[in-house]
Amino acid sequence: MFEYAPAPESRDVVDLKSSYGLFINGEFVDGSGTPFKTVNPATEETLAEVATASSDDVDRAVQAARKAFGVWSALPGAERAKYLFRIARIIQERARELAVLESLDNGKPIRESRDVDVPLVAAHFFYYAGWADKLEYAGFGSAKPLGVAGQVIPWNFPLLMLAWKIAPALACGNTVVLKPAETTPLTALLFADICRQADLPPGVANIVTGAGETGAAVVAHPDVNKVAFTGSTEVGRIIARTVAGTGKKLTLELGGKAANIVFDDAAVDQAVEGIVNGIFFNQGHVCCAGSRLLVQESIQEELLAALKRRLGTLRLGDPLDKNTDIGAINSAEQLAKIRRLSDLGESEGAERWSPACELPGKGFWFPPTLFTGVAQSHSVAREEIFGPVLSVLTFRTPAEAVEKANNTPYGLSAGVWTEKGSRILWMADRLRAGVVWANTFNKFDPASPFGGFKESGFGREGGRHGLEAYLEV
């Protein structure tokens, strides 16, 4: 096995400020809460101090969005589209800067930020710009915007989740108040600068930073007409209770424990790549991660041998190194959760395996990990670990595979690996998952809707379906 020389991306493309304020009504302003620090999870160095929005600051942002709504919603769709196209082009122009900042603040490998996240962000703004003057043909009736959208996004895909929320909202004529995750606020604040560069009218997009209290203030504000949340199922329940009876429209994209199902006629090498992409992409910090591998009993040994060989080639380390496959865990808190659930898996009787892997001395790191001998009752097979941890179970028949795959409170995604098209369709019809991938995993497109069943939430983001949540229908 040959060695890769380091190929670090330069940090110099990012102009990191020592402190950041809130973005309200087209301007950066001070927050009245206690500022917090955002750190690089790969090194634990402080990147910047970030303002915390109090409930009064959130109120200012909502008022700015309400004032801007009258002007923005009155614009012809073609005019709104021009702003969205402009934002998309600027994102492409500043793609390297955005990718580096995302990897610094989040810990994900630069090749994922560069090749997946940022291109998809631009694609979502291009896609919804195309819808802005065609809403009457979307099939949702009168196509009137709702008003002010309050949006709360997670730390695993900070910029991409922003695009999933903001692009359709603006295309439909709404204005937004968005709260990024407290551990990854920097690309949202750089997006605020992009909005200014695109001459987006003041108040159309507002960014308020802070922790859970700030998000709660956005959700509970009486002048917010629509709430969109991506994050944990626990917080999703709290939000659902908060908005119940208020008349606010709500979409929730929550946790997952997806099954990646491999049949005995699957192309093994292709399936191994799909398994690796399904659970180790973005360190497993993916709601729809294929964290449960269901492999047909007759090929278990062959598949696991190939999978272990492949894991031995993964490179863990500096997220800014273009050769890195697995970056840093996003926070000390998340690392502690991954360790706790992994230790619990061992104590419950599952067998733990990781390739030889030297972890850096500083930062938050966890090696790619497999659990075999897993029972469906084990915690590692039931709880969302949200890390690079794969639980392996077996099945004999397609019916058993469906039963085991559906034996979870979640229903966000699934993968099926087989050469038989009829089997793919049979499985997809029976799997209780919002997205079913066939002979691939973790493939996204702006034109394709995404969302879950059961405790994975409700509503869809992306595609024509993603417009519905931001229109009166």
Side-chain angles (χ1 to χ4, degrees):
M1 176 67 69
F2 58 87
E3 293 293 325
Y4 285 82
E9 175 61 276
S10 173
R11 290 181 54 160
D12 295 341
V13 299
V14 174
D15 180 22
L16 262 177
K17 298 176 175 59
S18 59
S19 63
Y20 290 85
L22 314 173
F23 186 68
I24 297 175
N25 203 33
E27 298 291 338
F28 285 100
V29 299
D30 293 335
S32 52
T34 303
F36 63 96
K37 290 178 170 56
T38 184
V39 303
N40 180 344
T43 63
E44 300 181 61
E45 69 168 302
T46 296
L47 295 172
E49 187 174 80
V50 181
T52 292
S54 66
S55 57
D56 288 341
D57 297 323
V58 169
D59 183 59
R60 279 195 294 155
V62 173
Q63 287 182 27
R66 176 59 60 195
K67 182 178 179 182
F69 172 68
V71 176
W72 181 251
S73 61
L75 284 179
E79 291 301 310
R80 292 199 301 272
K82 290 178 183 177
Y83 287 101
L84 293 174
F85 275 123
R86 197 177 301 159
I87 289 170
R89 288 195 297 269
I90 295 171
I91 288 169
Q92 289 182 319
E93 291 165 4
R94 301 179 70 171
R96 189 179 176 200
E97 179 185 3
L98 287 163
V100 170
L101 187 57
E102 194 80 314
S103 288
L104 280 174
D105 204 21
N106 173 276
K108 65 176 63 189
I110 184 66
R111 66 182 183 86
E112 294 180 6
S113 302
R114 178 196 64 197
D115 299 342
V116 180
D117 293 36
V118 175
L120 275 174
V121 169
H124 272 82
F125 277 97
F126 277 126
Y127 176 78
Y128 281 109
W131 267 115
D133 63 346
K134 305 174 187 69
L135 297 176
E136 61 184 296
Y137 306 109
F140 300 124
S142 61
K144 292 180 180 177
L146 296 169
V148 177
Q151 304 172 327
V152 181
I153 59 174
W155 46 260
N156 57 337
F157 291 94
L159 193 60
L160 183 58
M161 293 297 99
L162 176 150
W164 281 25
K165 300 287 187 292
I166 289 183
L170 298 193
C172 291
N174 302 279
T175 54
V176 304
V177 177
L178 180 133
K179 205 287 286 186
E182 60 268 32
T183 60
T184 54
L186 296 184
T187 45
L189 295 168
L190 182 53
F191 176 80
D193 187 59
I194 289 172
C195 289
R196 292 204 301 186
Q197 188 179 345
D199 292 324
L200 190 70
V204 172
N206 305 272
I207 311 289
V208 292
T209 49
E213 294 81 4
T214 304
V218 172
V219 169
H221 196 286
D223 209 21
V224 165
N225 304 101
K226 188 270 188 290
V227 173
F229 172 75
T230 297
S232 71
T233 297
E234 293 75 19
V235 176
R237 290 193 185 101
I238 295 170
I239 290 173
R241 286 194 291 267
T242 300
V243 305
T246 64
K248 296 177 184 179
K249 204 163 187 176
L250 175 66
T251 50
L252 298 172
E253 196 259 281
L254 308 174
K257 194 69 179 176
N260 215 351
I261 306 163
V262 183
F263 285 91
D264 57 6
D265 63 342
V268 171
D269 289 342
Q270 181 185 358
V272 165
E273 291 305 309
I275 294 163
V276 169
N277 183 49
I279 183 58
F280 301 117
F281 174 69
N282 196 29
Q283 296 76 256
H285 298 334
V286 186
C287 302
C288 56
S291 53
R292 289 183 298 149
L293 172 61
L294 298 181
V295 55
Q296 198 152 21
E297 203 172 83
S298 58
I299 61 164
Q300 180 189 15
E301 289 186 15
E302 177 190 2
L303 185 73
L304 283 179
L307 181 58
K308 288 181 177 180
R309 284 196 301 272
R310 180 67 178 92
L311 293 190
T313 69
L314 295 180
R315 296 177 295 278
L316 181 148
D318 179 10
L320 288 186
D321 189 329
K322 301 183 190 75
N323 295 318
T324 294
D325 297 301
I326 297 180
I329 302 303
N330 180 254
S331 66
E333 180 184 19
Q334 184 60 29
L335 178 58
K337 177 186 177 183
I338 296 168
R339 285 174 172 166
R340 176 179 60 80
L341 288 172
S342 297
D343 291 345
L344 184 59
E346 267 192 306
S347 68
E348 290 177 340
E351 184 178 343
R352 180 174 179 170
W353 181 89
S354 293
C357 189
E358 184 177 346
L359 302 182
K362 276 195 168 183
F364 314 126
W365 304 92
F366 196 86
T369 300
L370 294 180
F371 278 99
T372 54
V374 177
Q376 291 192 89
S377 58
H378 286 170
S379 299
V380 290
R382 302 199 63 79
E383 294 193 39
E384 185 181 35
I385 299 174
F386 220 62
V389 180
L390 177 65
S391 298
V392 183
L393 301 97
T394 61
F395 67 92
R396 292 183 178 180
T397 67
E400 183 184 358
V402 169
E403 186 175 354
K404 286 186 172 180
N406 288 341
N407 184 24
T408 173
Y410 300 109
L412 194 54
S413 66
V416 180
W417 299 82
T418 177
E419 68 170 15
K420 296 181 174 65
S422 58
R423 179 181 285 162
I424 290 169
L425 295 173
W426 187 90
M427 293 289 292
D429 191 45
R430 289 160 176 79
L431 291 169
R432 291 293 293 163
V435 177
V436 179
W437 285 291
N439 294 321
T440 189
F441 209 92
N442 274 342
K443 295 296 182 184
F444 298 96
D445 188 278
S448 179
F450 182 86
F453 293 117
K454 301 187 287 187
E455 290 187 16
S456 289
F458 51 82
R460 293 294 180 265
E461 294 180 304
R464 180 187 67 86
H465 303 72
L467 298 165
E468 184 177 5
Y470 294 97
L471 294 169
E472 287 185 10
V473 294

